[in-house]
């Protein structure tokens, strides 16, 4: 949900020119993602991204056909970064499934605090302004949310198998509920400049699903 | 959450000039609110608002000191419109308290559908872009959400008194949970261009609080 992504990893050692190019592309993606977690796509100017990373406009168009293409690449970079983050918590078998969800919430909270409650979720930000974005963004954002929900549903299936939630619980439905509300919680935490909305929403959600004494 | 507000009502009949002025101000507010439920504050230009309602720039500055002042007036107009909407549903004594909440959800759903899932919540939209807005907007938006939560808490108190939710339920806490998640649901409904996120979130919330057989 928050934080600064690492550049995508590539196998093997590229030739020097290619390495420099990859570096410039990664720098653009990192700067763009950081800006879009804080501000809207409409508010972020291309010149600002370029001057933040010292990449000339000509090079930009070498990597991306347009600002819209860049936007789609930013969604992809954020999705990859965030999938790694979810895996780190959701696949941690040293914790029970619901404790892993709590650990994710705690990590998101720490990430927002580290950025002084200014950075939220790139997907939520772009989703909010979807009416003024290229139509291609809609499918990209929906696919990212569907991926997060699928990962969360698998975690909740594990919670059900472990007896932490009721046998009658529907993991896919609960995962959807979580992500619908969680985007609201991140938005609200930015507005309140504090952790309460994240904590309140997560606690309410966990109380709703957790079996007493589990 | 959605829909087009009516102009604020005033008592008595104002003199003709004053009437014309009031009309121009109301037209600006109506157009501004409609635009801000759909797009971000940054994306809406003043010239666009003025030309949409045929009011010259000079008149605009007669009513509002700046675009920021106009923004605060839009929050106020939306809050007044939305408080009337909540009252209409939440104070309808022909329904049980939880049926009133369901009626509100149904109305919000119909409102978003009427505007082809393009219009969301002005407060959620501005909240999402709060990092780039004048700091005075933050308190204004927080106050509006606190008002909605207080109205919802009173409704849930009535639900508790009627035995629809558990005697141990905390209406204020549940109301906060509802509004945190509901803003996420409205955001997501715009993204999905359909009612599912609203329905899923509201159903999940109601299942969480409703006593079986109530």
């Amino acid at each position: 949900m928050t934080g600064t992504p690492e550049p995508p990893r590539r196998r093997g050692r590229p030739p020097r020119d290619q390495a420099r190019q990859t570096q410039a592309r990664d720098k653009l993606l990192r700067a763009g993602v950081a800006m879009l977690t804080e501000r809207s796509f409409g508010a972020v100017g291309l010149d600002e991204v370029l001057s933040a990373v010292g990449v000339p406009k000509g090079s930009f168009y070498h990597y991306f056909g347009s600002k819209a293409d860049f936007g789609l690449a930013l969604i992809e970079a954020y999705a990859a970064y965030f999938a790694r983050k979810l895996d780190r918590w959701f696949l941690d078998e040293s914790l029970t499934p619901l404790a892993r969800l709590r650990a994710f919430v705690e990590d998101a909270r720490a990430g927002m605090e580290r950025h002084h409650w200014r950075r939220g979720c790139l997907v939520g930000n772009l989703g909010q302004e979807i009416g003024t974005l290229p139509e291609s963004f809609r499918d990209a954002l929906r696919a990212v949310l569907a991926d997060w929900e699928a990962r969360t549903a698998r975690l909740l299936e594990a919670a059900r198998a472990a007896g932490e939630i009721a046998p009658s619980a529907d993991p896919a439905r609960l995962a959807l509920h979580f992500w619908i509300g969680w985007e609201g919680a991140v938005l609200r935490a930015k507005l309140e400049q504090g952790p309460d909305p994240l904590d309140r929403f997560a606690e309410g959600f966990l109380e709703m699903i957790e079996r007493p004494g589990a």
Side-chain angles (χ1 to χ4, degrees), chain A:
Chain A
M1 186 70 14
T2 55
T4 310
E6 298 143 37
R9 302 231 169 74
R10 287 189 173 76
R11 288 179 188 283
R13 189 177 178 179
R16 177 163 304 207
D17 261 17
Q18 199 188 321
R20 202 181 301 130
Q21 284 194 5
T22 301
Q23 225 177 31
R25 190 176 186 275
D26 288 348
K27 271 160 84 179
L28 287 166
L29 290 176
R30 289 174 67 107
V33 166
M35 287 180 189
L36 282 192
T37 56
E38 202 162 315
R39 290 149 58 198
S40 70
F41 191 69
V44 172
L46 213 49
D47 288 338
E48 192 186 351
V49 182
L50 297 175
S51 72
V53 297
V55 168
K57 196 168 261 182
S59 301
F60 175 87
Y61 285 109
H62 176 72
Y63 306 116
F64 309 103
S66 61
K67 192 186 170 191
D69 283 352
F70 182 49
L72 287 173
L74 292 176
I75 294 171
E76 201 184 305
Y78 188 75
Y81 149 74
F82 206 79
R84 284 197 300 276
K85 184 194 272 284
L86 287 178
D87 279 353
R88 188 185 335 143
W89 298 114
F90 285 6
L91 306 180
D92 178 356
E93 302 214 339
S94 73
L95 300 171
T96 72
L98 290 190
R100 296 176 215 168
L101 186 61
R102 283 196 174 87
F104 160 74
V105 167
E106 194 52 45
D107 179 61
R109 188 187 196 283
M112 288 194 75
E113 188 158 35
R114 195 161 52 242
H115 295 290
H116 311 289
W117 311 100
R118 294 185 61 85
R119 290 195 187 166
C121 174
L122 182 141
V123 170
N125 285 359
L126 292 176
Q128 193 73 284
E129 60 173 332
I130 193 69
T132 48
L133 296 178
E135 195 57 31
S136 56
F137 283 36
R138 191 186 303 275
D139 288 341
L141 294 170
R142 291 180 65 175
V144 176
L145 286 164
D147 174 66
W148 296 350
E149 279 155 14
R151 288 166 196 271
T152 308
R154 286 197 290 276
L155 180 70
L156 294 174
E157 271 159 32
R160 191 175 59 183
E164 286 189 301
I165 66 176
S168 62
D170 179 341
R173 214 159 155 245
L174 292 176
L176 178 59
H177 184 91
F178 178 80
W179 280 102
I180 290 172
W182 184 251
E183 288 293 347
V186 171
L187 186 170
R188 187 71 176 267
K190 283 193 300 182
L191 184 63
E192 306 277 348
Q193 298 181 295
D196 273 8
L198 303 178
D199 293 343
R200 282 296 109 74
F201 181 76
E203 279 166 20
F205 179 77
L206 284 159
E207 275 170 29
M208 168 173 103
I209 66 172
E210 200 164 15
R211 294 179 84 182

